[in-house]
Amino acid sequence: MPTLSLDNLTNGPDGSCDTAIIGAGIVALALAVRLQLEGRHVMLLDPKEPASGTSFGNAGYLSRGSIFPPASPEMMRRLPQLMLDPSGPLVIRPSYAHRMVPWGIRLMAASRPKPLSRIVEALAALCRDAVTSYRPLLAAAGAEDMIDVRGSLVVCRTQATLEQKAAAIPMLRKHGIVAERIDGAEARRMEPALATDIAGAVYFPDNARCVSPGALGARFAESVRAKGGTLRQTAVTKLHPQGEGWLLDTSTGPVAARQVVVAAGRWSDELLAPLGYTIPLISERGYHLMLPRAEVSLSRPCVMAEPFFAATPMRGGLRLAGTVEFANTDAPMNPRRSDKLYELAVPYLPGLRREGATRWMGVRPSLPDALPAIGAASGHRNLFYCFGHQHIGLTTAAISAQLLADVMLQRTPSLDPAPFNLDRFRRRQSDARAA
Ligand SMILES: Cc1cc2nc3c(=O)[nH]c(=O)nc-3n(C[C@H](O)[C@H](O)[C@H](O)COP(=O)(O)OP(=O)(O)OC[C@H]3O[C@@H](n4cnc5c(N)ncnc54)[C@H](O)[C@@H]3O)c2cc1C
């Protein structure tokens, strides 16, 4: 076992480091770049290539307006009906249903008016500076070309959906998010590829897109290496507290660290469970279909509202992405779900072609209250966490990194970290016992 000295640890050949970050998805990578800007020595540990999992295939949409939890009470009420259609926008695989029951109960509790308004408040605080918080990270990594701020549209085919989406505008504005209702003609002026029967759209001028989420992750990884950080291709199997620091068992030998951050997306709960943290994290899988020769072009992300999925122009083609499938993390993908995205997109984008299309599935790490877990572990010194970013991990990776860096460096954070603390689940367990 390496001897752990806690003084000025750098990344040593013996496997020691100052700050070990478990995972190398976009959340971990943004944090690594951020901590290096703060002068920290970091080591990322992941058995896979950086940003090659969920952070590779997402819709590339930086959505400041994502302040409402994706799983609404209305959706939960419609769940039995939705589940009857195996190719519908939301499915629960039967083998996963037992995991969904306790999670669903917590979700229903989080959907009551009082907790819901606190959740919306917290998501709004996180999303407000989501795009601007990327700036220093992009500059550090020479990756400014990866994010394009040209706004986004939520496109509605029916007047009823447009009314429903536009009804959220006052609430968005109250939280500092600019959103405008536009009619079909204006939507088509902005995006001529849209069908002529579009009822209208909600335009978010400050939203952005990532032109290639995988390439952004690779740039961040290169930057971490170039600034003296280490990326170790290894799986962490166990965390042991050792004095003031940590010893990590990994598939390629032990690593000693002064501080550890668990940022392993959907797998984070498995690493924290042996230390006594019970976390209701589930696999909310989603799909994409990449169209390299779509023959239809968009200039900004368009979220198609019936049912909800995104079409984002990227380097390499048009990416259709979305749908929800609650299933075991490593269950085989269902290619039909990727293909379905094409069928859903054609009415919005006539003339869309699918030659050369590629399919993909990724796992959103989702907590029942839709808030990510960002903070310091309450039961252990020098243990931190940053995971559970569900549908908005790309959007909020940089602001999460900023918040966690503030917590780690014991600075006054720019936003309130309390709603993101994991203890919210512990408290609820003890409340339940007391009730
Ligand atoms: C279809 C789809 C579309 C999406 N679209 C958007 C979008 O447009 N905008 C947006 O903001 N978000 C979007 N998301 C969500 C976003 O992609 C995720 O929230 C985000 O990628 C999560 O990043 P992460 O770094 O937490 O997890 P991941 O990218 O999953 O990374 C976790 C890493 O941890 C590693 N790991 C696991 N176990 C261990 C271990 N034991 N030791 C070491 N490493 C380990 C894994 O190998 C993995 O590389 C979308 C998701 C999906 C599925």
Side-chain angles (χ1 to χ4, degrees):
M1 277 189 187
T3 319
L4 178 65
S5 158
L6 298 180
D7 301 324
N8 297 323
L9 270 178
T10 53
N11 297 346
D14 60 344
S16 61
C17 63
D18 177 67
T19 305
I21 304 175
I22 307 177
I26 192 64
V27 169
L29 287 160
L31 179 65
V33 176
R34 176 85 250 170
L35 288 176
Q36 283 188 322
L37 286 172
E38 309 284 356
R40 290 299 184 91
H41 292 278
V42 297
M43 179 186 284
L44 290 149
L45 303 111
D46 195 315
K48 304 210 173 115
E49 288 294 321
S52 60
T54 310
S55 299
F56 167 84
N58 59 54
Y61 179 29
L62 276 74
S63 165
R64 293 179 68 239
S66 292
I67 67 170
F68 306 108
S72 62
E74 165 60 13
M75 193 193 84
M76 291 307 282
R77 269 192 293 277
R78 287 179 51 218
L79 206 56
Q81 175 205 344
L82 287 168
M83 283 166 58
L84 289 176
D85 178 3
S87 63
L90 185 151
V91 290
I92 301 177
R93 288 211 189 167
S95 56
Y96 206 60
H98 67 289
R99 294 287 303 270
M100 293 305 298
V101 175
W103 192 87
I105 291 169
R106 283 175 182 273
L107 182 142
M108 292 305 255
S111 309
R112 283 177 290 125
K114 227 167 146 186
L116 184 63
S117 92
R118 283 198 296 268
I119 289 166
V120 170
E121 199 77 43
L123 284 173
L126 206 59
C127 288
R128 201 170 295 130
D129 295 325
V131 178
T132 45
S133 59
Y134 262 101
R135 299 272 170 245
L137 310 189
L138 297 173
E144 288 96 336
D145 59 320
M146 285 283 133
I147 304 281
D148 174 45
V149 186
R150 229 178 279 194
S152 68
L153 296 177
V154 174
V155 181
C156 307
R157 294 188 69 218
T158 67
Q159 203 60 34
T161 312
L162 181 59
E163 297 304 330
Q164 193 206 339
K165 297 294 165 199
I169 292 176
M171 178 69 107
L172 288 160
R173 288 195 181 146
K174 184 178 149 227
H175 288 289
I177 288 131
V178 184
E180 287 164 35
R181 176 186 176 142
I182 58 172
D183 63 17
E186 179 62 9
R188 279 192 303 282
R189 194 195 57 74
M190 293 173 75
E191 295 294 349
L194 289 171
T196 49
D197 62 354
I198 294 299
V202 177
Y203 173 46
F204 293 83
D206 302 328
N207 280 348
R209 78 183 162 120
C210 176
V211 299
S212 171
L216 173 66
R219 291 274 189 93
F220 279 174
E222 276 164 35
S223 169
V224 170
R225 274 197 201 97
K227 294 179 173 63
T230 307
L231 278 94
R232 190 178 267 226
Q233 206 159 356
T234 193
V236 176
T237 50
K238 201 154 185 198
L239 287 75
H240 306 276
Q242 195 193 57
E244 295 284 287
W246 289 88
L247 190 70
L248 310 181
D249 291 341
T250 82
S251 49
T252 55
V255 169
R258 191 171 69 84
Q259 299 194 311
V260 172
V261 184
V262 177
R266 170 61 193 93
W267 298 267
S268 303
D269 58 328
E270 293 162 17
L271 289 160
L272 289 167
L275 295 167
Y277 299 89
T278 309
I279 304 158
L281 190 67
I282 55 147
S283 299
E284 189 181 342
R285 307 185 341 159
Y287 286 79
H288 91 207
L289 190 73
M290 192 74 196
L291 304 174
R293 297 187 285 285
E295 302 288 340
V296 153
S297 69
L298 294 173
S299 54
R300 52 179 65 78
C302 289
V303 173
M304 312 306 189
E306 303 118 334
F308 228 62
F309 68 97
T312 306
M314 291 201 182
R315 288 190 187 161
L318 185 70
R319 180 171 291 178
L320 309 177
T323 85
V324 167
E325 179 190 53
F326 293 106
N328 284 312
T329 312
D330 39 20
M333 70 182 277
N334 174 0
R336 275 287 303 142
R337 294 192 72 73
S338 281
D339 294 342
K340 182 79 184 174
L341 288 164
Y342 176 75
E343 289 167 32
L344 295 173
V346 169
Y348 289 92
L349 300 168
L352 189 69
R353 305 295 300 265
R354 58 161 301 161
E355 281 72 32
T358 52
R359 306 177 182 105
W360 172 91
M361 182 277 294
V363 186
R364 302 180 190 94
S366 295
L367 289 160
D369 60 5
L371 296 175
I374 306 166
S378 52
H380 295 86
R381 285 174 68 85
N382 288 321
L383 177 63
F384 302 87
Y385 49 82
C386 198
F387 61 85
H389 289 77
Q390 40 105 359
H391 291 238
I392 53 168
L394 175 69
T395 305
T396 57
I399 190 76
S400 300
Q402 186 179 306
L403 177 59
L404 188 60
D406 287 340
V407 171
M408 293 174 78
L409 298 168
Q410 299 180 350
R411 291 189 303 226
T412 307
S414 52
L415 60 133
D416 180 10
F420 310 105
N421 197 300
L422 263 183
D423 284 355
R424 65 193 194 264
F425 298 115
R426 215 170 59 167
R427 268 203 300 278
R428 209 153 285 147
Q429 274 161 9
S430 51
D431 290 352
R433 271 197 300 277

